[in-house]
């Protein structure tokens, strides 16, 4: 998956318009990234990428950039 595809997927998870999500978007700037959105994210990462998150992983996700880094570390996102 390339970065643009990942941004599209993230927008879908949080029910946001794709144009509102970029690498610099912070968690607090995404209304859908609340507790329910976090559960959707966890489920999506597990189902689509076979990535299971620890509690520490979840707490460390403060921005879209953090999420993209997580995908890179797990080999789900190709380097640009």
């Amino acid at each position: 998956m390339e970065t643009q595809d990942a941004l599209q997927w993230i927008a879908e998870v949080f029910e946001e318009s794709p144009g509102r999500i970029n690498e610099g978007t912070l968690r607090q700037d995404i209304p859908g990234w609340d507790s329910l959105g976090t559960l959707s994210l966890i489920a999506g990462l597990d189902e689509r990428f076979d990535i299971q998150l620890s509690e520490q992983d979840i707490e460390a996700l403060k921005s879209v950039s953090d999420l993209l880094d997580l995908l890179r570390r797990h080999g789900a996102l190709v380097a640009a």
Side-chain angles (χ1 to χ4, degrees):
M1 172 180 282
E2 294 184 6
T3 301
Q4 196 57 38
D5 297 323
L7 292 172
Q8 173 75 29
W9 178 77
I10 293 166
E12 289 173 13
V13 168
F14 296 122
E15 298 179 358
E16 288 288 333
S17 107
R20 278 196 37 27
I21 303 295
N22 61 58
E23 291 188 49
T25 306
L26 299 175
R27 179 180 181 155
Q28 68 256 22
D29 296 331
I30 302 173
W33 199 342
D34 54 11
S35 57
L36 185 57
T38 299
L39 291 175
S40 295
L41 176 64
I42 293 167
L45 287 168
D46 186 22
E47 291 171 13
R48 183 158 183 177
F49 305 106
D50 197 30
I51 297 173
Q52 290 83 39
L53 299 179
S54 69
E55 191 172 322
Q56 292 82 9
D57 291 332
I58 295 164
E59 291 174 4
L61 296 175
K62 305 288 184 201
S63 67
V64 170
S65 180
D66 293 338
L67 189 47
L68 294 174
D69 288 343
L70 177 106
L71 291 170
R72 281 186 196 96
R73 285 195 310 273
H74 286 275
L77 185 63
V78 295

PDB file of all heavy atoms in Angstrom, residues 9-43:
ATOM      1  N   TRP A   9      -7.647   5.084   3.263  1.00  0.00           N
ATOM      2  CA  TRP A   9      -8.162   4.077   4.193  1.00  0.00           C
ATOM      3  C   TRP A   9      -8.417   4.694   5.569  1.00  0.00           C
ATOM      4  O   TRP A   9      -9.462   4.449   6.191  1.00  0.00           O
ATOM      5  CB  TRP A   9      -7.184   2.902   4.291  1.00  0.00           C
ATOM      6  CG  TRP A   9      -7.628   1.864   5.269  1.00  0.00           C
ATOM      7  CD1 TRP A   9      -8.600   0.928   5.089  1.00  0.00           C
ATOM      8  CD2 TRP A   9      -7.143   1.689   6.602  1.00  0.00           C
ATOM      9  NE1 TRP A   9      -8.742   0.173   6.234  1.00  0.00           N
ATOM     10  CE2 TRP A   9      -7.859   0.620   7.167  1.00  0.00           C
ATOM     11  CE3 TRP A   9      -6.172   2.326   7.368  1.00  0.00           C
ATOM     12  CZ2 TRP A   9      -7.624   0.174   8.464  1.00  0.00           C
ATOM     13  CZ3 TRP A   9      -5.949   1.876   8.661  1.00  0.00           C
ATOM     14  CH2 TRP A   9      -6.674   0.815   9.191  1.00  0.00           C
ATOM     15  N   ILE A  10      -7.482   5.511   6.050  1.00  0.00           N
ATOM     16  CA  ILE A  10      -7.636   6.168   7.350  1.00  0.00           C
ATOM     17  C   ILE A  10      -8.876   7.067   7.343  1.00  0.00           C
ATOM     18  O   ILE A  10      -9.658   7.072   8.293  1.00  0.00           O
ATOM     19  CB  ILE A  10      -6.363   6.958   7.713  1.00  0.00           C
ATOM     20  CG1 ILE A  10      -5.199   5.986   7.942  1.00  0.00           C
ATOM     21  CG2 ILE A  10      -6.598   7.854   8.928  1.00  0.00           C
ATOM     22  CD1 ILE A  10      -3.828   6.648   7.979  1.00  0.00           C
ATOM     23  N   ALA A  11      -9.061   7.812   6.263  1.00  0.00           N
ATOM     24  CA  ALA A  11     -10.243   8.675   6.138  1.00  0.00           C
ATOM     25  C   ALA A  11     -11.519   7.841   6.223  1.00  0.00           C
ATOM     26  O   ALA A  11     -12.483   8.228   6.893  1.00  0.00           O
ATOM     27  CB  ALA A  11     -10.186   9.466   4.837  1.00  0.00           C
ATOM     28  N   GLU A  12     -11.532   6.686   5.566  1.00  0.00           N
ATOM     29  CA  GLU A  12     -12.706   5.807   5.598  1.00  0.00           C
ATOM     30  C   GLU A  12     -12.967   5.291   7.014  1.00  0.00           C
ATOM     31  O   GLU A  12     -14.120   5.256   7.464  1.00  0.00           O
ATOM     32  CB  GLU A  12     -12.510   4.635   4.641  1.00  0.00           C
ATOM     33  CG  GLU A  12     -12.582   5.022   3.182  1.00  0.00           C
ATOM     34  CD  GLU A  12     -12.210   3.874   2.255  1.00  0.00           C
ATOM     35  OE1 GLU A  12     -12.126   2.707   2.716  1.00  0.00           O
ATOM     36  OE2 GLU A  12     -11.990   4.152   1.067  1.00  0.00           O
ATOM     37  N   VAL A  13     -11.910   4.885   7.709  1.00  0.00           N
ATOM     38  CA  VAL A  13     -12.059   4.360   9.071  1.00  0.00           C
ATOM     39  C   VAL A  13     -12.731   5.390   9.972  1.00  0.00           C
ATOM     40  O   VAL A  13     -13.622   5.062  10.753  1.00  0.00           O
ATOM     41  CB  VAL A  13     -10.689   3.934   9.662  1.00  0.00           C
ATOM     42  CG1 VAL A  13     -10.787   3.680  11.160  1.00  0.00           C
ATOM     43  CG2 VAL A  13     -10.155   2.703   8.947  1.00  0.00           C
ATOM     44  N   PHE A  14     -12.313   6.641   9.844  1.00  0.00           N
ATOM     45  CA  PHE A  14     -12.831   7.689  10.722  1.00  0.00           C
ATOM     46  C   PHE A  14     -13.987   8.474  10.096  1.00  0.00           C
ATOM     47  O   PHE A  14     -14.418   9.483  10.647  1.00  0.00           O
ATOM     48  CB  PHE A  14     -11.704   8.640  11.133  1.00  0.00           C
ATOM     49  CG  PHE A  14     -10.641   7.956  11.956  1.00  0.00           C
ATOM     50  CD1 PHE A  14      -9.326   7.942  11.537  1.00  0.00           C
ATOM     51  CD2 PHE A  14     -10.960   7.318  13.141  1.00  0.00           C
ATOM     52  CE1 PHE A  14      -8.345   7.318  12.292  1.00  0.00           C
ATOM     53  CE2 PHE A  14      -9.992   6.684  13.902  1.00  0.00           C
ATOM     54  CZ  PHE A  14      -8.676   6.677  13.473  1.00  0.00           C
ATOM     55  N   GLU A  15     -14.485   7.977   8.960  1.00  0.00           N
ATOM     56  CA  GLU A  15     -15.623   8.591   8.272  1.00  0.00           C
ATOM     57  C   GLU A  15     -15.389  10.083   8.001  1.00  0.00           C
ATOM     58  O   GLU A  15     -16.235  10.925   8.263  1.00  0.00           O
ATOM     59  CB  GLU A  15     -16.913   8.357   9.064  1.00  0.00           C
ATOM     60  CG  GLU A  15     -17.247   6.891   9.201  1.00  0.00           C
ATOM     61  CD  GLU A  15     -18.500   6.622  10.011  1.00  0.00           C
ATOM     62  OE1 GLU A  15     -19.132   7.574  10.519  1.00  0.00           O
ATOM     63  OE2 GLU A  15     -18.858   5.436  10.128  1.00  0.00           O
ATOM     64  N   GLU A  16     -14.206  10.367   7.476  1.00  0.00           N
ATOM     65  CA  GLU A  16     -13.820  11.728   7.118  1.00  0.00           C
ATOM     66  C   GLU A  16     -13.658  11.818   5.604  1.00  0.00           C
ATOM     67  O   GLU A  16     -13.414  10.832   4.938  1.00  0.00           O
ATOM     68  CB  GLU A  16     -12.468  12.086   7.760  1.00  0.00           C
ATOM     69  CG  GLU A  16     -12.530  12.307   9.248  1.00  0.00           C
ATOM     70  CD  GLU A  16     -13.236  13.603   9.613  1.00  0.00           C
ATOM     71  OE1 GLU A  16     -13.237  14.553   8.808  1.00  0.00           O
ATOM     72  OE2 GLU A  16     -13.776  13.662  10.727  1.00  0.00           O
ATOM     73  N   SER A  17     -13.759  13.033   5.094  1.00  0.00           N
ATOM     74  CA  SER A  17     -13.497  13.221   3.679  1.00  0.00           C
ATOM     75  C   SER A  17     -11.992  13.089   3.467  1.00  0.00           C
ATOM     76  O   SER A  17     -11.198  13.579   4.279  1.00  0.00           O
ATOM     77  CB  SER A  17     -14.030  14.576   3.229  1.00  0.00           C
ATOM     78  OG  SER A  17     -13.018  15.479   2.986  1.00  0.00           O
ATOM     79  N   PRO A  18     -11.585  12.390   2.407  1.00  0.00           N
ATOM     80  CA  PRO A  18     -10.156  12.135   2.177  1.00  0.00           C
ATOM     81  C   PRO A  18      -9.307  13.407   2.146  1.00  0.00           C
ATOM     82  O   PRO A  18      -8.165  13.394   2.576  1.00  0.00           O
ATOM     83  CB  PRO A  18     -10.127  11.419   0.828  1.00  0.00           C
ATOM     84  CG  PRO A  18     -11.471  10.811   0.697  1.00  0.00           C
ATOM     85  CD  PRO A  18     -12.416  11.739   1.410  1.00  0.00           C
ATOM     86  N   GLY A  19      -9.858  14.506   1.686  1.00  0.00           N
ATOM     87  CA  GLY A  19      -9.106  15.745   1.616  1.00  0.00           C
ATOM     88  C   GLY A  19      -8.772  16.343   2.975  1.00  0.00           C
ATOM     89  O   GLY A  19      -7.893  17.189   3.087  1.00  0.00           O
ATOM     90  N   ARG A  20      -9.444  15.889   4.023  1.00  0.00           N
ATOM     91  CA  ARG A  20      -9.192  16.410   5.363  1.00  0.00           C
ATOM     92  C   ARG A  20      -8.069  15.681   6.095  1.00  0.00           C
ATOM     93  O   ARG A  20      -7.621  16.114   7.140  1.00  0.00           O
ATOM     94  CB  ARG A  20     -10.470  16.289   6.222  1.00  0.00           C
ATOM     95  CG  ARG A  20     -11.437  17.386   5.990  1.00  0.00           C
ATOM     96  CD  ARG A  20     -12.520  17.563   7.004  1.00  0.00           C
ATOM     97  NE  ARG A  20     -12.561  17.433   8.435  1.00  0.00           N
ATOM     98  CZ  ARG A  20     -11.652  17.559   9.390  1.00  0.00           C
ATOM     99  NH1 ARG A  20     -10.483  17.746   9.165  1.00  0.00           N
ATOM    100  NH2 ARG A  20     -11.893  17.451  10.649  1.00  0.00           N
ATOM    101  N   ILE A  21      -7.635  14.575   5.535  1.00  0.00           N
ATOM    102  CA  ILE A  21      -6.632  13.744   6.200  1.00  0.00           C
ATOM    103  C   ILE A  21      -5.308  13.833   5.435  1.00  0.00           C
ATOM    104  O   ILE A  21      -5.264  13.573   4.236  1.00  0.00           O
ATOM    105  CB  ILE A  21      -7.091  12.267   6.244  1.00  0.00           C
ATOM    106  CG1 ILE A  21      -8.454  12.127   6.942  1.00  0.00           C
ATOM    107  CG2 ILE A  21      -6.042  11.373   6.893  1.00  0.00           C
ATOM    108  CD1 ILE A  21      -8.460  12.486   8.401  1.00  0.00           C
ATOM    109  N   ASN A  22      -4.255  14.208   6.150  1.00  0.00           N
ATOM    110  CA  ASN A  22      -2.911  14.179   5.567  1.00  0.00           C
ATOM    111  C   ASN A  22      -1.930  13.761   6.657  1.00  0.00           C
ATOM    112  O   ASN A  22      -2.320  13.552   7.799  1.00  0.00           O
ATOM    113  CB  ASN A  22      -2.545  15.540   4.946  1.00  0.00           C
ATOM    114  CG  ASN A  22      -2.540  16.652   5.969  1.00  0.00           C
ATOM    115  OD1 ASN A  22      -1.810  16.594   6.959  1.00  0.00           O
ATOM    116  ND2 ASN A  22      -3.361  17.666   5.743  1.00  0.00           N
ATOM    117  N   GLU A  23      -0.674  13.650   6.296  1.00  0.00           N
ATOM    118  CA  GLU A  23       0.316  13.151   7.255  1.00  0.00           C
ATOM    119  C   GLU A  23       0.441  14.033   8.491  1.00  0.00           C
ATOM    120  O   GLU A  23       0.817  13.562   9.557  1.00  0.00           O
ATOM    121  CB  GLU A  23       1.675  12.995   6.572  1.00  0.00           C
ATOM    122  CG  GLU A  23       1.681  11.872   5.563  1.00  0.00           C
ATOM    123  CD  GLU A  23       3.065  11.587   5.020  1.00  0.00           C
ATOM    124  OE1 GLU A  23       4.012  11.449   5.814  1.00  0.00           O
ATOM    125  OE2 GLU A  23       3.182  11.487   3.789  1.00  0.00           O
ATOM    126  N   GLY A  24       0.129  15.304   8.376  1.00  0.00           N
ATOM    127  CA  GLY A  24       0.262  16.216   9.499  1.00  0.00           C
ATOM    128  C   GLY A  24      -0.976  16.332  10.369  1.00  0.00           C
ATOM    129  O   GLY A  24      -0.961  17.055  11.358  1.00  0.00           O
ATOM    130  N   THR A  25      -2.037  15.614  10.029  1.00  0.00           N
ATOM    131  CA  THR A  25      -3.286  15.730  10.788  1.00  0.00           C
ATOM    132  C   THR A  25      -3.123  15.093  12.172  1.00  0.00           C
ATOM    133  O   THR A  25      -2.681  13.955  12.296  1.00  0.00           O
ATOM    134  CB  THR A  25      -4.445  15.041  10.037  1.00  0.00           C
ATOM    135  OG1 THR A  25      -4.527  15.575   8.714  1.00  0.00           O
ATOM    136  CG2 THR A  25      -5.762  15.264  10.746  1.00  0.00           C
ATOM    137  N   LEU A  26      -3.500  15.851  13.187  1.00  0.00           N
ATOM    138  CA  LEU A  26      -3.418  15.369  14.561  1.00  0.00           C
ATOM    139  C   LEU A  26      -4.700  14.649  14.956  1.00  0.00           C
ATOM    140  O   LEU A  26      -5.771  14.947  14.437  1.00  0.00           O
ATOM    141  CB  LEU A  26      -3.180  16.535  15.518  1.00  0.00           C
ATOM    142  CG  LEU A  26      -1.893  17.326  15.299  1.00  0.00           C
ATOM    143  CD1 LEU A  26      -1.844  18.521  16.238  1.00  0.00           C
ATOM    144  CD2 LEU A  26      -0.668  16.441  15.479  1.00  0.00           C
ATOM    145  N   ARG A  27      -4.562  13.744  15.894  1.00  0.00           N
ATOM    146  CA  ARG A  27      -5.708  12.965  16.371  1.00  0.00           C
ATOM    147  C   ARG A  27      -6.860  13.876  16.816  1.00  0.00           C
ATOM    148  O   ARG A  27      -8.009  13.639  16.479  1.00  0.00           O
ATOM    149  CB  ARG A  27      -5.257  12.070  17.526  1.00  0.00           C
ATOM    150  CG  ARG A  27      -6.361  11.237  18.103  1.00  0.00           C
ATOM    151  CD  ARG A  27      -5.845  10.371  19.227  1.00  0.00           C
ATOM    152  NE  ARG A  27      -6.934   9.556  19.736  1.00  0.00           N
ATOM    153  CZ  ARG A  27      -6.773   8.413  20.346  1.00  0.00           C
ATOM    154  NH1 ARG A  27      -5.567   7.932  20.551  1.00  0.00           N
ATOM    155  NH2 ARG A  27      -7.802   7.729  20.769  1.00  0.00           N
ATOM    156  N   GLN A  28      -6.549  14.934  17.557  1.00  0.00           N
ATOM    157  CA  GLN A  28      -7.603  15.803  18.079  1.00  0.00           C
ATOM    158  C   GLN A  28      -8.311  16.592  16.976  1.00  0.00           C
ATOM    159  O   GLN A  28      -9.382  17.151  17.214  1.00  0.00           O
ATOM    160  CB  GLN A  28      -7.077  16.755  19.162  1.00  0.00           C
ATOM    161  CG  GLN A  28      -6.117  17.797  18.670  1.00  0.00           C
ATOM    162  CD  GLN A  28      -4.675  17.492  19.016  1.00  0.00           C
ATOM    163  OE1 GLN A  28      -4.315  16.356  19.271  1.00  0.00           O
ATOM    164  NE2 GLN A  28      -3.841  18.514  19.029  1.00  0.00           N
ATOM    165  N   ASP A  29      -7.746  16.623  15.782  1.00  0.00           N
ATOM    166  CA  ASP A  29      -8.375  17.326  14.661  1.00  0.00           C
ATOM    167  C   ASP A  29      -9.305  16.434  13.841  1.00  0.00           C
ATOM    168  O   ASP A  29      -9.878  16.886  12.854  1.00  0.00           O
ATOM    169  CB  ASP A  29      -7.303  17.938  13.753  1.00  0.00           C
ATOM    170  CG  ASP A  29      -6.496  19.013  14.466  1.00  0.00           C
ATOM    171  OD1 ASP A  29      -7.055  19.669  15.375  1.00  0.00           O
ATOM    172  OD2 ASP A  29      -5.316  19.194  14.127  1.00  0.00           O
ATOM    173  N   ILE A  30      -9.424  15.177  14.253  1.00  0.00           N
ATOM    174  CA  ILE A  30     -10.299  14.227  13.557  1.00  0.00           C
ATOM    175  C   ILE A  30     -11.444  13.866  14.508  1.00  0.00           C
ATOM    176  O   ILE A  30     -11.252  13.072  15.442  1.00  0.00           O
ATOM    177  CB  ILE A  30      -9.530  12.955  13.144  1.00  0.00           C
ATOM    178  CG1 ILE A  30      -8.342  13.321  12.244  1.00  0.00           C
ATOM    179  CG2 ILE A  30     -10.464  11.968  12.440  1.00  0.00           C
ATOM    180  CD1 ILE A  30      -7.428  12.149  11.918  1.00  0.00           C
ATOM    181  N   PRO A  31     -12.631  14.449  14.300  1.00  0.00           N
ATOM    182  CA  PRO A  31     -13.752  14.186  15.215  1.00  0.00           C
ATOM    183  C   PRO A  31     -14.068  12.697  15.374  1.00  0.00           C
ATOM    184  O   PRO A  31     -14.442  12.254  16.461  1.00  0.00           O
ATOM    185  CB  PRO A  31     -14.925  14.931  14.571  1.00  0.00           C
ATOM    186  CG  PRO A  31     -14.291  15.991  13.742  1.00  0.00           C
ATOM    187  CD  PRO A  31     -12.988  15.403  13.258  1.00  0.00           C
ATOM    188  N   GLY A  32     -13.890  11.923  14.308  1.00  0.00           N
ATOM    189  CA  GLY A  32     -14.202  10.500  14.372  1.00  0.00           C
ATOM    190  C   GLY A  32     -13.178   9.661  15.103  1.00  0.00           C
ATOM    191  O   GLY A  32     -13.393   8.474  15.352  1.00  0.00           O
ATOM    192  N   TRP A  33     -12.026  10.261  15.479  1.00  0.00           N
ATOM    193  CA  TRP A  33     -10.989   9.504  16.183  1.00  0.00           C
ATOM    194  C   TRP A  33     -11.242   9.622  17.681  1.00  0.00           C
ATOM    195  O   TRP A  33     -10.447  10.113  18.453  1.00  0.00           O
ATOM    196  CB  TRP A  33      -9.607  10.008  15.808  1.00  0.00           C
ATOM    197  CG  TRP A  33      -8.493   9.035  16.122  1.00  0.00           C
ATOM    198  CD1 TRP A  33      -8.535   7.972  16.961  1.00  0.00           C
ATOM    199  CD2 TRP A  33      -7.173   9.075  15.589  1.00  0.00           C
ATOM    200  NE1 TRP A  33      -7.330   7.329  16.993  1.00  0.00           N
ATOM    201  CE2 TRP A  33      -6.463   7.984  16.150  1.00  0.00           C
ATOM    202  CE3 TRP A  33      -6.522   9.904  14.698  1.00  0.00           C
ATOM    203  CZ2 TRP A  33      -5.137   7.726  15.849  1.00  0.00           C
ATOM    204  CZ3 TRP A  33      -5.202   9.642  14.401  1.00  0.00           C
ATOM    205  CH2 TRP A  33      -4.514   8.562  14.959  1.00  0.00           C
ATOM    206  N   ASP A  34     -12.400   9.129  18.080  1.00  0.00           N
ATOM    207  CA  ASP A  34     -12.786   9.075  19.480  1.00  0.00           C
ATOM    208  C   ASP A  34     -12.662   7.624  19.931  1.00  0.00           C
ATOM    209  O   ASP A  34     -12.010   6.824  19.258  1.00  0.00           O
ATOM    210  CB  ASP A  34     -14.208   9.623  19.659  1.00  0.00           C
ATOM    211  CG  ASP A  34     -15.223   8.922  18.761  1.00  0.00           C
ATOM    212  OD1 ASP A  34     -14.884   7.877  18.143  1.00  0.00           O
ATOM    213  OD2 ASP A  34     -16.355   9.415  18.667  1.00  0.00           O
ATOM    214  N   SER A  35     -13.278   7.268  21.040  1.00  0.00           N
ATOM    215  CA  SER A  35     -13.142   5.892  21.530  1.00  0.00           C
ATOM    216  C   SER A  35     -13.729   4.875  20.548  1.00  0.00           C
ATOM    217  O   SER A  35     -13.137   3.823  20.307  1.00  0.00           O
ATOM    218  CB  SER A  35     -13.775   5.737  22.907  1.00  0.00           C
ATOM    219  OG  SER A  35     -15.134   6.124  22.879  1.00  0.00           O
ATOM    220  N   LEU A  36     -14.872   5.196  19.948  1.00  0.00           N
ATOM    221  CA  LEU A  36     -15.466   4.287  18.967  1.00  0.00           C
ATOM    222  C   LEU A  36     -14.604   4.217  17.705  1.00  0.00           C
ATOM    223  O   LEU A  36     -14.391   3.141  17.141  1.00  0.00           O
ATOM    224  CB  LEU A  36     -16.886   4.740  18.610  1.00  0.00           C
ATOM    225  CG  LEU A  36     -17.668   3.829  17.681  1.00  0.00           C
ATOM    226  CD1 LEU A  36     -17.772   2.412  18.250  1.00  0.00           C
ATOM    227  CD2 LEU A  36     -19.052   4.393  17.435  1.00  0.00           C
ATOM    228  N   GLY A  37     -14.077   5.360  17.281  1.00  0.00           N
ATOM    229  CA  GLY A  37     -13.184   5.387  16.125  1.00  0.00           C
ATOM    230  C   GLY A  37     -11.924   4.583  16.366  1.00  0.00           C
ATOM    231  O   GLY A  37     -11.416   3.910  15.463  1.00  0.00           O
ATOM    232  N   THR A  38     -11.411   4.641  17.594  1.00  0.00           N
ATOM    233  CA  THR A  38     -10.225   3.855  17.933  1.00  0.00           C
ATOM    234  C   THR A  38     -10.521   2.368  17.833  1.00  0.00           C
ATOM    235  O   THR A  38      -9.707   1.597  17.321  1.00  0.00           O
ATOM    236  CB  THR A  38      -9.715   4.220  19.345  1.00  0.00           C
ATOM    237  OG1 THR A  38      -9.359   5.607  19.362  1.00  0.00           O
ATOM    238  CG2 THR A  38      -8.518   3.387  19.744  1.00  0.00           C
ATOM    239  N   LEU A  39     -11.699   1.952  18.278  1.00  0.00           N
ATOM    240  CA  LEU A  39     -12.087   0.543  18.141  1.00  0.00           C
ATOM    241  C   LEU A  39     -12.181   0.143  16.673  1.00  0.00           C
ATOM    242  O   LEU A  39     -11.748  -0.947  16.286  1.00  0.00           O
ATOM    243  CB  LEU A  39     -13.415   0.276  18.853  1.00  0.00           C
ATOM    244  CG  LEU A  39     -13.390   0.358  20.372  1.00  0.00           C
ATOM    245  CD1 LEU A  39     -14.797   0.197  20.941  1.00  0.00           C
ATOM    246  CD2 LEU A  39     -12.445  -0.669  20.961  1.00  0.00           C
ATOM    247  N   SER A  40     -12.733   1.019  15.846  1.00  0.00           N
ATOM    248  CA  SER A  40     -12.808   0.751  14.402  1.00  0.00           C
ATOM    249  C   SER A  40     -11.410   0.637  13.805  1.00  0.00           C
ATOM    250  O   SER A  40     -11.152  -0.220  12.957  1.00  0.00           O
ATOM    251  CB  SER A  40     -13.581   1.857  13.688  1.00  0.00           C
ATOM    252  OG  SER A  40     -14.917   1.881  14.102  1.00  0.00           O
ATOM    253  N   LEU A  41     -10.510   1.500  14.248  1.00  0.00           N
ATOM    254  CA  LEU A  41      -9.129   1.462  13.770  1.00  0.00           C
ATOM    255  C   LEU A  41      -8.459   0.148  14.156  1.00  0.00           C
ATOM    256  O   LEU A  41      -7.827  -0.504  13.322  1.00  0.00           O
ATOM    257  CB  LEU A  41      -8.349   2.645  14.352  1.00  0.00           C
ATOM    258  CG  LEU A  41      -6.862   2.691  14.034  1.00  0.00           C
ATOM    259  CD1 LEU A  41      -6.633   2.859  12.537  1.00  0.00           C
ATOM    260  CD2 LEU A  41      -6.193   3.810  14.809  1.00  0.00           C
ATOM    261  N   ILE A  42      -8.608  -0.247  15.404  1.00  0.00           N
ATOM    262  CA  ILE A  42      -8.015  -1.502  15.882  1.00  0.00           C
ATOM    263  C   ILE A  42      -8.534  -2.683  15.060  1.00  0.00           C
ATOM    264  O   ILE A  42      -7.767  -3.541  14.624  1.00  0.00           O
ATOM    265  CB  ILE A  42      -8.304  -1.699  17.381  1.00  0.00           C
ATOM    266  CG1 ILE A  42      -7.566  -0.641  18.202  1.00  0.00           C
ATOM    267  CG2 ILE A  42      -7.927  -3.111  17.839  1.00  0.00           C
ATOM    268  CD1 ILE A  42      -8.021  -0.555  19.647  1.00  0.00           C
ATOM    269  N   ALA A  43      -9.851  -2.723  14.851  1.00  0.00           N
ATOM    270  CA  ALA A  43     -10.453  -3.810  14.074  1.00  0.00           C
ATOM    271  C   ALA A  43      -9.954  -3.778  12.628  1.00  0.00           C
ATOM    272  O   ALA A  43      -9.630  -4.823  12.053  1.00  0.00           O
ATOM    273  CB  ALA A  43     -11.972  -3.705  14.117  1.00  0.00           C
TER     274      ALA A  43
END
